[in-house]
Amino acid sequence: MFVQLCLYFYCKCLWRCLKFVVRKLTGRCELQRICYNTKPGAARTMKIEASLKGSKSKRLQTSVSVHPDAIEKTIDDIMELKRINSDINPQLGVSLQACLLQIVGYRNLIAEVEKLRREPYDSENPQHEEMLLKLWKCLKPNSPLKARISKQWCEIGFQGDDPKTDFRGMGLLGLHNLAYFAEWDTEIAQQVLSDSLQPKYSYSFAIVGINITDLAYNLLVSGALKTHFYNVAPEAPTLTHFQQTFC
């Protein structure tokens, strides 16, 4: 334990010394080197995020969790703290802003997804009911639903007469994803539903969809989706990006 502790502090001090030497030799701080030497996308954003979080400056550490409206001010603070002339390095501010929008956006997306997951399905809420009925219409356009409480729901993979009981684990998030899939890519969603009814596959479309929502949620919260979102979202990743990933 003592040896590991010594090794940790040694490496940390060595790394800071190395950064100081490289800055003196190149005339550029770590943030500048990352922006100038790494292409836009996940590679650049994740390096910027790691650099800011690992900084000894509290102002830089907290820059990854600011409100989106404060990002421009945060960029100015970073440039001032790092003594970077924005007139000489105009592109640097643009690059940092894009990275921070992605970093902050990812955190906000987690909060938005978590809010939907915690919101229970409410059959008294017209918006919830409308979304559920839209799911049916998109998947079964030629089979009118005879009643709100019906055995027909089993045809699209729910476990009982009332789908609301199946949303307990993922809350409204499960319905949002299923409804988005059915509306955004209707033809493929209908084909997947058709396949689910074949003896060769035989799975419950809706229940599997809710389980995949659970998987996508856990990947998001763990940070495993950062690389994907930082590559596909030029700025802040949104709920739509999450739903498209589910699809």
Side-chain angles (χ1 to χ4, degrees):
M1 183 71 178
F2 177 74
V3 173
Q4 289 180 329
L5 192 61
C6 290
L7 185 62
Y8 168 77
F9 282 112
Y10 173 76
C11 292
K12 193 170 184 179
C13 291
L14 184 63
W15 174 244
R16 293 200 183 281
C17 290
L18 182 61
K19 285 172 63 177
F20 177 78
V21 171
V22 173
R23 170 153 192 171
K24 289 298 181 183
L25 291 175
T26 63
R28 292 176 175 175
C29 69
E30 185 178 42
L31 295 176
Q32 288 175 294
R33 296 195 300 273
I34 292 171
C35 287
Y36 292 142
N37 299 331
T38 310
K39 292 181 179 180
R44 175 190 285 178
T45 302
M46 293 183 80
K47 285 180 180 179
I48 291 293
E49 187 173 13
S51 177
L52 292 172
K53 286 182 176 179
S55 174
K56 61 183 180 181
S57 168
K58 282 290 183 183
R59 288 170 67 187
L60 293 186
Q61 290 174 17
T62 57
S63 64
V64 298
S65 57
V66 298
H67 190 276
D69 294 341
I71 285 180
E72 288 190 21
K73 174 65 169 56
T74 301
I75 298 299
D76 292 338
D77 291 342
I78 291 174
M79 301 284 270
E80 180 183 355
L81 187 63
K82 289 293 184 178
R83 299 175 186 172
I84 300 171
N85 190 323
S86 58
D87 294 330
I88 299 175
N89 301 272
Q91 187 57 40
L92 179 63
V94 175
S95 299
L96 285 176
Q97 184 173 17
C99 291
L100 272 185
L101 280 170
Q102 290 182 319
I103 295 166
V104 172
Y106 192 91
R107 292 170 62 94
N108 291 341
L109 176 58
I110 291 177
E112 184 178 5
V113 167
E114 181 64 29
K115 182 180 179 181
L116 284 174
R117 189 186 73 87
R118 290 179 177 273
E119 184 176 355
Y121 183 91
D122 181 5
S123 56
E124 299 298 321
N125 187 317
Q127 293 180 330
H128 294 189
E129 288 286 284
E130 182 182 354
M131 193 182 307
L132 181 61
L133 293 175
K134 181 186 288 185
L135 173 64
W136 175 269
K137 289 176 183 177
C138 288
L139 293 175
K140 306 279 284 186
N142 300 319
S143 301
L145 191 64
K146 296 176 182 178
R148 168 61 181 80
I149 307 296
S150 169
K151 290 284 187 186
Q152 285 180 280
W153 289 112
C154 296
E155 296 176 20
I156 61 173
F158 287 104
Q159 293 178 322
D161 299 351
D162 192 346
K164 74 176 185 179
T165 59
D166 292 325
F167 294 121
R168 288 173 183 164
M170 283 287 107
L172 208 58
L173 182 64
L175 177 57
H176 264 272
N177 280 353
L178 286 171
Y180 182 87
F181 182 32
E183 186 176 16
W184 180 69
D185 210 344
T186 307
E187 186 176 341
I188 290 180
Q190 290 175 351
Q191 183 61 55
V192 174
L193 173 61
S194 177
D195 290 343
S196 74
L197 302 173
Q198 302 302 317
K200 180 180 177 181
Y201 303 109
S202 187
Y203 58 88
S204 299
F205 176 89
I207 298 303
V208 170
I210 293 171
N211 287 336
I212 293 175
T213 292
D214 180 57
L215 172 63
Y217 164 78
N218 283 295
L219 290 173
L220 176 73
V221 172
S222 70
L225 287 181
K226 279 185 178 181
T227 300
H228 172 66
F229 284 148
Y230 289 169
N231 279 327
V232 301
E235 293 186 345
T238 64
L239 182 61
T240 299
H241 290 110
F242 178 77
Q243 291 172 321
Q244 288 175 352
T245 301
F246 163 82
C247 293

